Amino acid sequence: MFPFSIRVAHCDDVADPTPPQDPVGDKTSVASKAISAVKSKVTPGESELRRWRRTFETHAKVVGEDGQKYLDTDDFVNAIAPPQDLSKITRGQYALLFRVADVHRRGRLSFDDFHVFETLLKRPDADYWIAFQYFDVDGSGTIDYDEFKNVFEACLGPEALPFNFDCDWVKLYLGKRDGAHVLGYNEFTQLMKGLQGERLRQAFAHLDSNKDGFITPDQFKRIILELAGHKLSDEVIDRLPTLTTLNPGKGISYSEVIAFYNVIRDMDMVERIIREAVAKSSDGRITASDFLTSASQSTRYALFSPMEASIIFHFASRGGSGASTRLTLLDFAKLLDPRWQAPGVFDRTVEAGQGVGSMGVLSPSKWGSFSQFAKDFSQSAYNFGLGGIAGAFGATMVYPIDLVKTRMQNQRNTVVGEVLYKNSIDCVRKVYRNEGFLGFYRGLGPQLIGVAPEKAIKLTMNDLVRGYATDPETGRITVPWELVAGGTAGASQVVFTNPLEIVKIRLQVQGELAKTQGAKPRGALHIIRSLGLFGLYKGASACLLRDIPFSAIYFPAYNHLKRDVFHEGYNGKKLTFWETLASAAAAGMPAAYFTTPADVIKTRLQVEARKGQSTYNGLVDAGVRIFREEGGRALFKGGLARVLRSSPQFGFTLVAYEYLHEFMPFPWDDKPKRLETQYSLGSSEDISRTRARNALKILLDVHSDIGRRAVGAHAPAEQPRRVLV
């Protein structure tokens, strides 16, 4: 417990426009000593102090007679309230915390006051501690019957449901006689934790006038609005009276009211179980039975009853509420997210699995207008440009490895004097010795020219097929369709890659031709003219044989590594640079190695045969003759170099592609709407803001409208400079 008490204003009291001044010359007041004690005992690191100072200086606009800056109520709310709160707590209600922070009762906060309040929020129990200070009117460190009753009644308001302070529940905490027992801090926390349950019981008994054990749907809605209106979305609030349809009869029973209250009270656990059950589901949908099964596996005891599960599915469903109803994660959004709003006609989006890049799911409804078509065309051009930049970056990073791989694959073991390189390392040494550093980049020009359409068409086709095969509500796609999407992407790129590959390969082997035969190097244009249009597609069948399985392996592996190994999207997680690079690189390893035979055959078909070397009559002939003449190991020549090239190349390419989208976003990009709640974002939020909001939630358990009537909406963050006199 802190060595000081905070005297606060309560509920709807209006602050005195002329707050009392500190006694003149009282430099060592009790409050000042308390502040000094707190600052000396709990001093955060320098970086945190700087952050607090920066926040204070950014928002403080009130200037006192001493020339120092201060925070008034509006400034304090702007400084302490989260910029995007996913609860229904209004910014005006954050002013209640100002009344706790204003130790001197001056109506303004100095930096020292703000420093103390931020330090208070660092307490692990800051939420309950602030609520305790709110009720501890006399600052004695304890709360007696009168304090609890007076503060509570002031918070309820004249139209609230009545609360009997002479009930047995209150007497159990505070004794049978007024003043016979007082609550310390720890006892107070338990009282507040059970307060809503007692209020619910009393409210039901009060409204059940004929004592038949039922209340009307409107009465049920009144109870929930007063006790938990800030925890529910407008959609759920509008549907509250429909709870009576679960068990048609006289009305809503106490059992149903308690069951609904239990669901709201344990909403974070509800969300956790739903997310885990959906993640395990094969199609991204779950039933009430699936929910109960997941709950039994997640908790030691049965946390939720069948009635509570039925209530969850009733308010999450779009009509039916039977046990067989299968719902997606987004169906539960209206129940889990208090700020949920009904989506528009074309706003139905997915929770996960957007494929590679930022294309998202392309549904037929997106093509319903010319403006939408123009937008999609513009985004395709945007993705095409970024894909070209990313592809060029990835190709440049690994091009020396690709050159070594090509020369190793083209080396014929059966021709005497043609074995120039013992292994890949020997090849690197000889290229550098004979051709210099630039020799590693022979043929890079055509590679960079062709890599833009290659990467763009590959990424676009993969996303396009995945989009049409993806469930628009769950974001799930079956493995066969993932393979089809990847294979289609690989096939479509051959129209660009085959001409690129044949020109690049012939440029890459010119260095060794000059060494062995004294041939004069030729440029890319000479090679293109000599080959002709049809010659540029020589070996296309082998290129298809390589690229289709490569992409069919690579893209599903990449997406599953991100999702299943690094848990991208789980509770809003975003992958780090290294996690993305590791996913892209690891996916390229099996894809590159297992397609090496096709790459060897393609290389042999596309390289111009020298005198004495075997020539091949097509794909099958090349494969058979290589196997017969050089053995099975020859089909995997350059396999290691191919892994070393393809794995980092695709790693660098996709990392560059995703970061380019992040740093140069498409101007009209529709970000996919995900289920983001305090549960999913809590780990990334500033803990002091979390505790500040939780403290307000404890006070709102007394009444959902506490703080609204007196404070109202606050002014914008930017306000003119003011001077206090």
Side-chain angles (χ1 to χ4, degrees):
M1 186 178 297
F2 274 46
F4 66 96
S5 60
I6 302 176
R7 185 177 178 83
V8 298
H10 299 293
C11 296
D12 299 325
D13 298 341
V14 179
D16 189 343
T18 57
Q21 303 295 322
D22 291 334
V24 178
D26 187 10
K27 302 293 186 181
T28 59
S29 63
V30 175
S32 298
K33 290 181 179 180
I35 292 173
S36 300
V38 171
K39 291 176 65 177
S40 62
K41 291 184 177 181
V42 186
T43 303
E46 182 180 6
S47 60
E48 197 166 50
L49 276 173
R50 288 179 180 176
R51 177 170 58 83
W52 293 347
R53 172 66 74 175
R54 183 173 62 256
T55 301
F56 179 85
E57 294 294 338
T58 299
H59 296 95
K61 298 180 179 64
V62 180
V63 179
E65 293 177 333
D66 55 2
Q68 300 297 316
K69 297 175 71 175
Y70 294 88
L71 295 171
D72 67 3
T73 306
D74 290 330
D75 299 330
F76 174 79
V77 170
N78 292 327
I80 199 67
Q84 183 182 5
D85 197 342
L86 296 181
S87 66
K88 292 179 73 173
I89 300 175
T90 65
R91 291 178 60 79
Q93 289 176 302
Y94 277 90
L96 297 173
L97 300 182
F98 176 85
R99 297 171 182 178
V100 175
D102 186 13
V103 180
H104 299 289
R105 303 295 298 119
R106 296 180 300 183
R108 56 178 179 170
L109 299 181
S110 65
F111 175 72
D112 284 341
D113 297 328
F114 186 69
H115 181 185
V116 169
F117 181 75
E118 287 282 7
T119 304
L120 187 152
L121 289 179
K122 287 176 65 65
R123 289 179 57 129
D125 59 344
D127 41 11
Y128 277 103
W129 177 256
I130 289 176
F132 180 74
Q133 296 294 336
Y134 195 88
F135 274 81
D136 185 15
V137 177
D138 60 6
S140 63
T142 59
I143 296 174
D144 59 21
Y145 177 86
D146 289 331
E147 282 181 307
F148 174 71
K149 180 179 180 180
N150 292 337
V151 174
F152 195 104
E153 286 182 333
C155 294
L156 288 181
E159 298 180 358
L161 291 166
F163 184 80
N164 178 19
F165 290 92
D166 293 327
C167 66
D168 292 337
W169 184 84
V170 172
K171 292 176 181 178
L172 289 173
Y173 280 98
L174 292 164
K176 296 183 179 180
R177 295 171 48 199
D178 295 351
H181 182 67
V182 295
L183 296 178
Y185 169 63
N186 289 330
E187 294 173 305
F188 171 80
T189 61
Q190 291 305 120
L191 178 143
M192 292 300 292
K193 191 170 183 179
L195 177 61
Q196 272 205 324
E198 177 61 18
R199 287 208 63 205
L200 189 69
R201 187 193 66 79
Q202 290 195 22
F204 188 93
H206 172 74
L207 295 175
D208 182 18
S209 56
N210 58 3
K211 307 305 177 185
D212 63 350
F214 293 93
I215 58 175
T216 67
D218 288 338
Q219 290 173 331
F220 167 68
K221 183 175 181 178
R222 179 186 175 187
I223 294 175
I224 298 303
L225 278 178
E226 186 165 317
L227 298 184
H230 59 288
K231 300 177 181 178
L232 303 173
S233 67
D234 293 338
E235 170 82 5
V236 173
I237 290 174
D238 291 340
R239 292 187 61 191
L240 284 176
T242 67
L243 183 63
T244 188
T245 62
L246 286 182
N247 296 296
K250 297 181 179 179
I252 297 176
S253 68
Y254 183 66
S255 297
E256 291 170 319
V257 175
I258 286 295
F260 185 87
Y261 164 72
N262 290 342
V263 169
I264 302 305
R265 181 193 61 190
D266 297 322
M267 190 60 74
D268 285 341
M269 181 59 71
V270 170
E271 179 170 351
R272 172 186 170 185
I273 293 171
I274 288 173
R275 286 183 180 272
E276 291 179 352
V278 168
K280 296 176 183 177
S281 172
S282 59
D283 62 353
R285 289 177 166 82
I286 60 172
T287 64
S289 298
D290 297 327
F291 173 84
L292 289 173
T293 299
S294 182
S296 64
Q297 295 172 344
S298 302
T299 57
R300 181 172 298 179
Y301 305 105
L303 183 62
F304 296 100
S305 67
M307 177 180 285
E308 291 162 356
S310 297
I311 288 174
I312 292 171
F313 275 72
H314 170 75
F315 285 100
S317 66
R318 285 167 278 180
S321 57
S324 61
T325 302
R326 299 184 63 81
L327 302 181
T328 69
L329 182 58
L330 285 184
D331 288 321
F332 294 97
K334 63 178 73 70
L335 181 65
L336 302 176
D337 183 4
R339 301 304 296 259
W340 184 88
Q341 294 180 347
V345 177
F346 301 114
D347 288 342
R348 193 70 178 172
T349 50
V350 300
E351 164 63 16
Q354 297 298 325
V356 180
S358 303
M359 295 289 292
V361 173
L362 302 177
S363 61
S365 62
K366 287 190 174 183
W367 302 91
S369 66
F370 176 78
S371 60
Q372 185 62 52
F373 174 80
K375 178 179 176 181
D376 290 337
F377 180 81
S378 300
Q379 186 161 12
S380 296
Y382 160 81
N383 288 327
F384 188 93
L386 295 192
I389 297 173
F393 174 74
T396 303
M397 293 292 290
V398 300
Y399 191 80
I401 303 175
D402 182 60
L403 181 134
V404 172
K405 182 267 307 180
T406 299
R407 294 199 178 181
M408 289 298 299
Q409 288 180 339
N410 188 53
Q411 184 169 262
R412 315 295 176 98
N413 296 342
T414 59
V415 181
V416 178
E418 289 294 322
V419 181
L420 299 178
Y421 316 115
K422 299 177 181 178
N423 49 49
S424 296
I425 301 300
D426 183 56
C427 181
V428 171
R429 292 172 180 169
K430 290 180 177 178
V431 170
Y432 182 75
R433 183 174 63 245
N434 298 328
E435 304 171 50
F437 178 76
L438 294 180
F440 288 107
Y441 286 92
R442 287 186 180 274
L444 178 61
Q447 175 82 341
L448 297 183
I449 293 173
V451 79
E454 174 201 342
K455 299 305 180 189
I457 194 67
K458 177 182 287 189
L459 294 170
T460 301
M461 289 303 298
N462 179 68
D463 281 351
L464 186 65
V465 177
R466 286 181 67 94
Y468 278 103
T470 296
D471 188 318
E473 293 186 334
T474 65
R476 298 294 184 88
I477 179 173
T478 62
V479 173
W481 272 110
E482 284 189 291
L483 297 175
V484 170
T488 304
S492 63
Q493 78 175 60
V494 172
V495 68
F496 293 101
T497 57
N498 204 83
L500 164 71
E501 289 276 343
I502 193 169
V503 174
K504 179 196 71 172
I505 286 172
R506 296 201 175 191
L507 286 172
Q508 286 178 334
V509 299
Q510 282 187 358
E512 61 187 38
L513 286 175
K515 176 71 175 175
T516 60
Q517 302 178 12
K520 183 179 179 181
R522 299 289 185 176
L525 291 178
H526 173 79
I527 295 174
I528 293 173
R529 282 196 297 266
S530 63
L531 286 171
L533 178 61
F534 291 103
L536 289 174
Y537 285 93
K538 186 177 182 180
S541 56
C543 204
L544 287 169
L545 185 63
R546 179 197 65 178
D547 290 342
I548 290 177
F550 180 93
S551 296
I553 296 172
Y554 182 80
F555 284 112
Y558 174 62
N559 283 283
H560 281 277
L561 282 169
K562 290 200 301 179
R563 187 185 68 190
D564 301 332
V565 176
F566 295 106
H567 307 295
E568 181 185 35
Y570 185 73
N571 291 344
K573 179 184 177 181
K574 293 183 178 181
L575 298 191
T576 64
F577 171 86
W578 295 110
E579 287 174 330
T580 305
L581 182 61
S583 299
M589 293 179 181
Y593 189 77
F594 289 124
T595 56
T596 299
D599 194 50
V600 171
I601 295 172
K602 177 194 70 67
T603 300
R604 295 288 181 91
L605 290 173
Q606 291 180 335
V607 172
E608 187 176 2
R610 305 172 203 165
K611 186 177 181 180
Q613 290 183 338
S614 299
T615 57
Y616 308 109
N617 298 318
L619 181 68
V620 176
D621 179 63
V624 172
R625 293 187 64 178
I626 292 172
F627 181 79
R628 287 177 179 175
E629 295 174 1
E630 305 174 51
R633 295 181 61 182
L635 291 172
F636 286 89
K637 278 186 176 181
L640 178 60
R642 180 168 163 77
V643 169
L644 293 176
R645 181 207 63 134
S646 296
S647 178
Q649 178 181 2
F650 276 87
F652 285 119
T653 297
L654 288 175
V655 168
Y657 187 64
E658 296 196 9
Y659 275 84
L660 283 170
H661 275 90
E662 180 178 346
F663 294 125
M664 293 189 295
F666 184 62
W668 303 284
D669 190 16
D670 293 327
K671 297 296 182 182
K673 296 178 182 178
R674 301 177 183 273
L675 178 53
E676 295 180 344
T677 63
Q678 298 300 163
Y679 173 85
S680 63
L681 299 180
S683 60
S684 60
E685 186 182 43
D686 183 354
I687 189 62
S688 65
R689 301 298 178 264
T690 301
R691 288 169 178 159
R693 181 182 57 252
N694 290 345
L696 284 174
K697 288 181 178 179
I698 291 176
L699 295 175
L700 291 174
D701 282 349
V702 178
H703 197 290
S704 290
D705 286 336
I706 181 175
R708 292 178 188 266
R709 295 184 293 274
V711 180
H714 276 264
E718 294 297 329
Q719 299 180 21
R721 191 179 184 86
R722 302 181 297 278
V723 178
L724 289 181
V725 295

